Amino acid sequence: MLSNKSILVTGGTGSFGKAFTKYVLEHYNPKKIIIYSRDEFKQFIMQQELQQYKDKLRFFIGDVRDKERLTRAFEGVDYVIHAAALKQVPACEYNPAEAIKTNIDGAQNVIDAALSTGVKKVVALSTDKAVNPVNLYGGTKLVSDKLFIAANAYAGSKDICFSIVRYGNVAGSRGSIIPKFYDILKKGDGELTITDYRMTRFWISLKQGVELVIKALEEAKGGETFISKIPSFRIPDLAEAMAPGCKTKEIGIYPGEKLHEIMVTVEDADYTYEYDKHFIIYPQLVWSKSKEATPTGKKVPEGFSYSSDNNTEWLSVEEIRELLKELELD
């Protein structure tokens, strides 16, 4: 599927971009992978880390806000993975116009550039925060998701499809709960702060996120949203796994924070099908019979929803402790 293909990753120096690039280089034989991002220093570091693959890598300095630059970078590209976004909830709340320029205007620029240059497939990374959003980041990603789904209506006779992959915070990712707990423990404070003892989250690794994106590249016909079936955990259990017997303190939920991660809403149930390791939300509108996806999974029951608090698979404290060993925390 990916062999001898040209692939471009927006926001390619981020955690996902680096993991995706390394995975594809190790498991496939792509023609080239183009890293498109704004930070020259991060690109330099990534070049050094993947020196053995230098013949397969290209690095473009550019911003998704710049459609002309995107169009230049997309020339000759087969697949685009759109991972670039402003993602920190507080930063987006304080700089709403900037979040809109990157997450919404940038998404439309990616769509327009892909339609203009012969790209075959675009997979955009979404987030649980786009589902019933309560903060600006989630709101911008909801709009972004809608733009990518609707982009299939503008493909016409072009051989291109747009799809979405949705998951929550990756275990151990910057700014998430695991590094926060780790920093507190490293400083020797001895007490872990928890915003709400009822809070739950999904557990997904970077590798699982990468594999879901590749599945979308392989299977998408246009407009689908792919969601992994993954276990849930309780935040107090995470604290116990990281520091057995430690003291915890409930400090109250942050502005824009949710108690639980929601991936599929009750309203989405009519269009959602279950597969062995994932769900797919199919588009409500069909723009072309020739590109219409035919669900082969099991339709979820009426009233179904998928969130971290109603999951059927839960991690125990010991299972969390074992998974923590696989993470690289500085």
Side-chain angles (χ1 to χ4, degrees):
M1 174 69 187
L2 301 182
S3 295
N4 203 35
K5 300 294 184 182
S6 295
I7 306 160
L8 183 143
V9 187
T10 69
T13 57
S15 298
F16 171 84
K18 290 192 290 186
F20 175 85
T21 300
K22 188 175 181 182
Y23 186 94
V24 171
L25 289 170
E26 290 177 348
H27 292 82
Y28 299 91
N29 183 31
K31 183 177 180 180
K32 62 182 175 182
I33 299 179
I34 301 167
I35 305 302
Y36 184 95
S37 69
R38 299 183 301 176
D39 194 317
E40 60 179 329
F41 182 67
K42 287 182 180 178
Q43 288 195 4
F44 171 75
I45 295 299
M46 191 170 175
Q47 283 179 290
Q48 301 308 303
E49 292 174 347
L50 298 174
Q51 185 67 24
Q52 69 270 38
Y53 300 110
K54 62 181 181 180
D55 292 340
K56 298 282 187 181
L57 289 173
R58 305 290 185 273
F59 290 86
F60 264 63
I61 298 291
D63 196 316
V64 293
R65 300 181 184 189
D66 185 343
K67 183 161 65 174
E68 183 177 347
R69 181 63 170 163
L70 275 172
T71 303
R72 177 64 58 85
F74 281 17
E75 290 290 349
V77 169
D78 298 295
Y79 304 140
V80 170
I81 312 301
H82 179 50
L86 292 182
K87 301 170 184 173
Q88 295 297 315
V89 170
C92 289
E93 294 296 321
Y94 191 71
N95 304 278
E98 299 305 303
I100 290 167
K101 289 175 185 175
T102 296
N103 297 353
I104 297 178
D105 296 343
Q108 187 62 55
N109 288 339
V110 168
I111 291 165
D112 290 341
L115 287 170
S116 299
T117 54
V119 170
K120 298 295 187 294
K121 288 195 174 186
V122 179
V123 176
L125 269 58
S126 182
T127 168
D128 67 287
K129 296 173 184 65
V131 183
N132 295 340
V134 298
N135 53 56
L136 185 78
Y137 169 54
T140 60
K141 292 300 287 183
L142 169 63
V143 175
S144 173
D145 288 357
K146 295 293 186 181
L147 288 172
F148 278 104
I149 290 171
N152 292 280
Y154 300 96
S157 60
K158 294 183 175 68
D159 181 20
I160 184 173
C161 80
F162 299 84
S163 61
I164 295 165
V165 162
R166 177 182 295 156
Y167 52 80
N169 286 331
V170 173
S173 59
R174 289 177 301 176
S176 63
I177 188 66
I178 294 174
K180 287 182 180 179
F181 279 180
Y182 179 77
D183 288 342
I184 292 172
L185 294 170
K186 189 167 62 172
K187 292 174 183 176
D189 292 347
E191 183 178 71
L192 295 179
T193 54
I194 297 175
T195 55
D196 194 300
Y197 287 143
R198 298 169 295 170
M199 191 168 288
T200 66
R201 290 292 182 263
F202 285 109
W203 186 289
I204 187 168
S205 67
L206 269 175
K207 181 182 177 184
Q208 287 172 307
V210 168
E211 290 173 343
L212 187 62
V213 167
I214 292 174
K215 177 171 283 293
L217 282 173
E218 292 173 342
E219 299 182 5
K221 299 296 183 182
E224 304 97 323
T225 300
F226 290 76
I227 299 157
S228 283
K229 293 166 71 173
I230 45 181
S232 295
F233 66 95
R234 296 173 178 85
I235 299 301
D237 288 345
L238 173 66
E240 178 64 21
M242 295 185 71
C246 74
K247 293 181 180 180
T248 61
K249 180 182 179 181
E250 192 174 36
I251 60 173
I253 200 164
Y254 294 130
E257 188 178 32
K258 290 182 178 180
L259 278 177
H260 313 292
E261 291 182 332
I262 306 170
M263 298 293 180
V264 181
T265 66
V266 171
E267 291 76 19
D268 288 326
D270 285 344
Y271 308 96
T272 303
Y273 287 75
E274 181 178 3
Y275 295 83
D276 184 35
K277 295 183 179 180
H278 64 286
F279 297 98
I280 296 179
I281 304 173
Y282 289 88
Q284 298 180 27
L285 299 175
V286 177
W287 304 279
S288 169
K289 286 293 181 182
S290 64
K291 296 181 180 180
E292 182 178 0
T294 303
T296 57
K298 177 183 177 183
K299 192 176 185 303
V300 300
E302 183 178 351
F304 173 85
S305 66
Y306 185 52
S307 64
S308 59
D309 65 321
N310 72 4
N311 202 356
T312 58
E313 184 181 358
W314 289 85
L315 294 173
S316 67
V317 171
E318 185 55 41
E319 287 171 330
I320 295 172
R321 190 171 292 131
E322 288 301 310
L323 288 170
L324 286 167
K325 295 177 182 177
E326 301 173 8
L327 302 181
E328 296 180 7
L329 298 173
D330 295 330

